Amino acid sequence: MTDGPRAALELLNDLDTDTRMAGHHRLHAVRAHLLELADDNAAARAAYLHAARLTTSLPEQRYPLDRADRLSGQGPPLRRRPSPRRGQ
């Protein structure tokens, strides 16, 4: 995180050729998250959709599909947790 999402995306490139990870939905979900952090929403949405297609688990599909919908403007906005108040 200290070097930013683009630096992290570069590190993921090595995993694309690793046969143990290349077809795993979590790799694409991480890529989508980093693309979203880098403000590349179109690429992030595509990566979330790709991640959803790679798993047959409905709970594991739901998260990337919800994120993709939110990026397309069809889903609810991302809810942020309220900041903790001091002294509580």
Side-chain angles (χ1 to χ4, degrees):
M1 293 303 287
T2 59
D3 294 328
R6 294 282 175 200
L9 284 164
E10 290 295 321
L11 294 173
L12 288 184
N13 290 337
D14 291 337
L15 295 176
D16 286 330
T17 58
D18 185 330
T19 57
R20 297 167 295 173
M21 290 296 299
H24 202 284
H25 73 279
R26 288 188 178 113
L27 174 63
H28 298 282
V30 168
R31 178 174 283 111
H33 176 70
L34 292 169
L35 288 164
E36 189 175 356
L37 290 175
D39 293 324
D40 190 346
N41 290 342
R45 183 175 186 279
Y48 279 129
L49 292 173
H50 188 69
R53 283 191 300 273
L54 290 174
T55 182
T56 58
S57 166
L58 292 178
E60 288 180 332
Q61 286 176 357
R62 197 169 297 124
Y63 175 79
L65 290 175
D66 288 347
R67 300 293 286 202
D69 284 348
R70 186 178 54 74
L71 287 171
S72 69
Q74 296 176 14
L78 180 63
R79 292 186 190 178
R80 300 210 185 268
R81 293 182 190 180
S83 299
R85 294 183 184 177
R86 292 182 190 200
Q88 290 186 355

